[in-house]
Amino acid sequence: MYETGTYKLKSGLAQMLKGGVIMDVTTPEQARIAETAGACAVMALERVPADIRAVGGIARMADPSVVLQIMDTVTIPVMAKCRIGHFVEAQILQSLGVDYIDESEVLTPADEKYHVNKLPFKVPFVCGARNLGEALRRIGEGAAMIRTKGEPGTGNVVEAVRHIRQVNDEIRWVANLPDEELMSAGKEMSAPYELVLEVAKLKRLPVVNFAAGGIATPADAALMMQLGCDGIFVGSGIFKSGDPGRRAQAIVAATTYFNDAAVLAEISRDLGEAMSGIDIMTIKNEDRMQERGW
Amino acid sequence: MAGKKVGVLALQGAFTEHEIALARCGARPCQIRTELEIEAVDALIIPGGESTTIGKLMLSFGLLEPIRRRVKEGMPIWGTCAGMILLAKEIVDMEQVRLELMDIAVKRNAYGRQVDSFEAELEVEGLQPSRGVFIRAPYVERVWGHAHVLCRVKDKTVMVREDNRLATAFHPELTNDLTIHQYFLRMLN
């Protein structure tokens, strides 16, 4: 009579997050600032991507205490990250009762070949993707929400822009193919055939697609929304800036009024210093988090 | 109701899903983000989403008073999930910005977290059975005044009508079933 853990419930929560901003937080205090600013969810983690990048070493799932404290502090949904392929970290996060798991390239991958089989979990998963094939492989494994990878911890939106443009290009391509070419298209992208058919029919991804990886200003958020993203993840961009509360609130407003330049101009004023940021060209290939994932 | 202009508050949440359902019913849906747009619609839906986010944006962008005024003048309004929370006069054990338009006390995240979200068959008073999708859903703990209970699930109230105001804890916009949308559109006559 009552069904739980269905795919409709998993993808449905992502639909409820649309038009909103999901903020990385590392402490209950930051979680409260994010909620007060209007975040639609928070991502609980031990370090924001900029610090993971700076510290180096192996980045793992957060300490359960950190996650639980943040869950106790806010009423909005709480997400947490597990390493790519680390299904035991995912099992632990599910048992803590987090609302979404991000199988994330921001953490050091635990498996060089396979992602988590996300279908048997009751908790929904979000995964990063740089192109349509990658997005459809993750959905095939059970992800109920997709986000661009961008390049996390850089405050540089260029990679997120590249990834959403790539996904949109490939969706337009697939949507215009005659039926007999769809199997080969799937083969070319290494994507499950049934999902290629669905994209051809829907002319969009079958799940919600957020922007992530480098968003640092209200204008960045509005740019990603105008490019067709359904909502925004902000990692380091808020708590590595001069005035996190104000900036967070402005990014929330920009994600709603993304098409209204007058509003964007008003809310972009006097936000204090943005995170300093990194030019992608200066990051060696092997240090690029977006290269993680298969 | 054919051709009636029905606004969906598009600040945050699942507003496009309501637009699709409304269009399938023959109504004319439109997204609402400004006071000016509120004046131009025959009815309004507050969609599911994050109630604290939507409430803060309504406050920051001056939408609370215009919506309250239009509803008190008779405009039909329907809140789903977060929308139900925003319509409630009382929220159990919590304080947050809201419209305070219905005589109901709502408990947030009342069934638990996401892993406790569920689908269930619904028996709504006077309607065909339909499917209810409950996502981190609230329920109504208490009603008073003109508020009338239309549906209960797991011994909790999940749908309430009060004159021109309707609230559901579940998401008809996530199913293909138009029963509840058609019910709301009949409130426009």
Side-chain angles (χ1 to χ4, degrees):
Chain A
M1 165 118 190
Y2 304 114
E3 279 186 278
T4 58
T6 65
Y7 196 71
K8 185 183 277 296
L9 294 166
K10 293 174 173 180
S11 56
L13 177 56
Q15 286 170 280
M16 297 307 140
L17 298 171
K18 286 194 299 182
V21 182
I22 301 165
M23 303 180 192
D24 277 6
V25 298
T26 58
T27 63
E29 291 69 39
Q30 288 186 354
R32 201 169 291 120
I33 291 169
E35 184 174 50
T36 304
C40 68
V42 292
M43 177 77 69
L45 67 180
E46 239 163 298
R47 278 197 264 271
V48 294
D51 289 335
I52 290 174
R53 206 175 267 292
V55 171
I58 305 301
R60 310 178 179 92
M61 174 188 81
D63 184 320
S65 300
V66 173
V67 178
L68 288 169
Q69 280 168 14
I70 288 168
M71 284 166 59
D72 283 343
T73 303
V74 294
T75 61
I76 57 180
V78 175
M79 301 183 165
K81 289 181 193 291
C82 76
R83 283 180 266 177
I84 288 173
H86 206 314
F87 50 85
V88 173
E89 285 187 350
Q91 290 163 4
I92 291 170
L93 291 173
Q94 173 168 272
S95 85
L96 294 179
V98 302
D99 298 294
Y100 240 95
I101 296 176
D102 185 357
E103 186 186 16
S104 178
E105 68 282 3
V106 167
L107 305 183
T108 312
D111 193 317
E112 292 187 317
K113 203 167 173 191
Y114 304 110
H115 283 250
V116 172
N117 176 16
K118 295 165 269 289
L119 288 168
F121 284 83
K122 271 175 95 167
V123 64
F125 281 75
V126 54
C127 288
R130 295 181 298 177
N131 53 53
L132 184 58
E134 194 172 12
L136 296 184
R137 288 195 296 282
R138 297 296 85 79
I139 296 167
E141 293 156 358
M145 179 179 183
I146 293 293
R147 53 172 176 73
T148 62
K149 285 181 163 176
E151 189 54 44
T154 61
N156 188 342
V157 79
V158 66
E159 294 301 301
V161 168
R162 185 206 309 279
H163 299 162
I164 188 65
R165 283 198 181 277
Q166 179 69 29
V167 168
N168 287 342
D169 269 355
E170 288 171 310
I171 290 174
R172 281 189 292 268
W173 169 62
V174 166
N176 284 307
L177 290 178
D179 289 350
E180 68 272 19
E181 295 186 15
L182 291 171
M183 179 62 84
S184 285
K187 182 181 167 203
E188 200 173 307
M189 295 186 290
S190 303
Y193 179 57
E194 285 67 27
L195 291 173
V196 174
L197 293 183
E198 210 174 334
V199 168
K201 193 176 89 186
L202 296 173
K203 302 187 195 318
R204 58 154 294 145
L205 284 182
V207 300
V208 166
N209 187 16
F210 268 48
I215 290 119
T217 69
D220 289 348
L223 173 68
M224 296 308 294
M225 293 298 288
Q226 286 198 29
L227 286 170
C229 289
D230 293 314
I232 304 292
F233 280 92
V234 187
S236 317
I238 289 170
F239 289 100
K240 287 284 158 190
S241 75
D243 187 343
R246 258 192 90 123
R247 181 164 296 268
Q249 203 176 347
I251 292 175
V252 169
T255 302
T256 297
Y257 293 95
F258 64 90
N259 258 330
D260 189 330
V263 171
L264 294 174
E266 186 57 36
I267 59 182
S268 298
R269 293 171 62 167
D270 307 318
L271 294 182
E273 206 157 326
M275 71 178 283
S276 64
I278 306 172
D279 187 343
I280 304 297
M281 295 307 180
T282 65
I283 306 173
K284 286 184 294 199
N285 241 3
E286 59 268 30
D287 292 335
R288 294 186 187 182
M289 292 172 173
Q290 60 178 286
E291 302 293 334
R292 300 162 168 178
W294 356 103
Chain B
M1 52 99 157
K4 289 278 188 189
K5 197 167 169 186
V6 179
V8 185
L9 192 69
L11 300 178
Q12 190 271 323
F15 46 87
T16 49
E17 288 77 355
H18 273 296
E19 288 179 79
I20 292 164
L22 288 166
R24 286 179 58 211
C25 293
R28 278 192 300 143
C30 59
Q31 299 183 2
I32 303 295
R33 291 186 182 83
T34 65
E35 180 176 356
L36 212 62
E37 289 164 342
I38 290 167
E39 302 303 331
V41 293
D42 300 309
L44 184 65
I45 294 177
I46 317 276
E50 189 41 57
S51 62
T52 54
T53 304
I54 299 171
K56 281 173 218 293
L57 286 164
M58 278 200 286
L59 179 68
S60 302
F61 290 87
L63 304 182
L64 288 166
E65 276 315 314
I67 293 174
R68 284 181 187 135
R69 183 176 46 74
R70 290 278 337 255
V71 172
K72 283 172 185 162
E73 288 166 3
M75 177 183 73
I77 191 164
W78 171 22
T80 53
C81 195
M84 170 191 254
I85 295 164
L86 290 161
L87 286 173
K89 285 196 181 152
E90 257 183 51
I91 299 177
V92 179
D93 300 329
M94 225 173 276
E95 208 29 74
Q96 66 184 77
V97 176
R98 60 193 184 278
L99 289 161
E100 298 176 77
L101 284 168
M102 289 182 75
D103 290 340
I104 55 177
V106 170
K107 189 169 167 56
R108 284 185 59 196
N109 304 334
Y111 295 95
R113 305 194 70 96
Q114 172 62 14
V115 288
D116 307 303
S117 293
F118 63 96
E119 296 185 48
E121 294 304 321
L122 298 177
E123 300 277 350
V124 180
E125 185 185 299
L127 298 179
Q128 293 291 318
S130 53
R131 188 91 181 146
V133 179
F134 295 79
I135 296 177
R136 285 173 48 92
Y139 60 65
V140 177
E141 201 171 80
R142 224 153 27 86
V143 305
W144 62 94
H146 283 238
H148 174 71
V149 174
L150 287 173
C151 180
R152 288 170 66 82
V153 165
K154 295 191 179 186
D155 294 326
K156 304 294 180 191
T157 297
V158 296
M159 182 170 179
V160 179
R161 165 99 181 253
E162 180 183 339
D163 307 319
N164 60 333
R165 300 145 208 208
L166 181 68
T168 58
F170 51 91
H171 296 284
E173 76 282 9
L174 294 187
T175 69
N176 286 322
D177 189 340
L178 297 174
T179 308
I180 312 290
H181 283 85
Q182 284 160 346
Y183 176 86
F184 177 62
L185 291 171
R186 285 198 293 277
M187 288 169 57
L188 274 73
N189 296 329

